[in-house]
Amino acid sequence: MFSRQPNDYLCPFCDWLSGNETEYKQNSDIVFQNDKVTAFISPKWWANNPGHVIVIPNRHVENLYDITDEELSEVYRIVKRVAIAIRSSYENCSGTSTRQHNEPSGNQDVWHFHTHVFPRYEDDKLYQNHDTKNFVEPRERKVYADLLKAYFRKPAGDK
Ligand SMILES: [Zn+2]
């Protein structure tokens, strides 16, 4: 519904999940994965919110209008777990925010449904910083991926 994806679109998320790593999408970025969803450290960071996570359904679906209720439910079940993992693991993190975009007017730029989960800090100006996001190297992303992977490995009673 309200599709904006070009007919010949090569989806970067599907291309990665089918096995093609790039400097933007490395398997070491993945902090959680099951048969329905994948959560990974974003390759682009806003100035004051390093290490934010993107959660996607594994099946290609363009946007919020088309995702099934079951997929949406599973994506947000993991969004919740990722938010708690970020809040528990990132130094001085004192809040979290989620953002999800549809169509160009809604700032969508990858045509595969995704939800951002941000660590928040006092006075971090996340919403004023949309144009400050920059690509970060895989080794910088790995620091945050390792924190979240360690969190997800803990037994339930230790979280
Ligand atoms: Zn896709």
Side-chain angles (χ1 to χ4, degrees):
M1 187 185 285
F2 306 121
S3 178
R4 303 303 189 103
Q5 165 185 294
N7 286 335
D8 57 352
Y9 186 57
L10 175 62
C11 175
F13 294 162
C14 289
D15 186 51
W16 176 37
L17 293 182
S18 74
N20 294 322
E21 282 185 288
T22 66
E23 65 174 345
Y24 280 83
K25 306 278 184 304
Q26 300 263 310
N27 293 342
S28 59
D29 296 327
I30 296 173
V31 300
F32 181 93
Q33 188 169 46
N34 65 21
D35 61 332
K36 301 263 184 348
V37 308
T38 299
F40 57 95
I41 302 292
S42 172
K44 288 182 179 173
W45 294 357
W46 272 249
N48 300 320
N49 306 82
H52 90 267
V53 171
I54 294 175
V55 184
I56 61 172
N58 294 339
R59 183 180 77 90
H60 184 83
V61 58
E62 181 174 334
N63 54 35
L64 183 62
Y65 317 134
D66 286 342
I67 194 168
T68 68
D69 291 353
E70 291 74 21
E71 286 169 323
L72 188 65
S73 166
E74 183 60 8
V75 165
Y76 276 87
R77 188 177 77 84
I78 301 309
V79 163
K80 172 183 171 179
R81 293 185 63 186
V82 166
I84 294 170
I86 286 173
R87 178 68 179 79
S88 302
S89 308
Y90 288 13
E91 197 174 353
N92 298 322
C93 175
S94 54
T96 58
S97 291
T98 64
R99 296 171 92 168
Q100 191 280 319
H101 305 300
N102 304 289
E103 303 184 71
S105 298
N107 290 118
Q108 184 175 14
D109 55 6
V110 175
W111 310 112
H112 182 131
F113 179 98
H114 56 286
T115 298
H116 299 264
V117 188
F118 292 94
R120 297 301 308 274
Y121 303 90
E122 234 174 89
D123 202 27
D124 63 18
K125 299 189 168 54
L126 175 67
Y127 294 93
Q128 288 90 338
N129 277 343
H130 191 75
D131 295 329
T132 67
K133 63 181 195 272
N134 283 310
F135 173 74
V136 290
E137 298 289 331
R139 63 185 160 74
E140 293 179 74
R141 307 198 304 256
K142 189 172 179 304
V143 174
Y144 290 89
D146 287 349
L147 283 174
L148 298 180
K149 282 188 250 191
Y151 177 86
F152 283 121
R153 274 196 305 268
K154 286 185 194 171
D158 295 343
K159 288 177 184 169

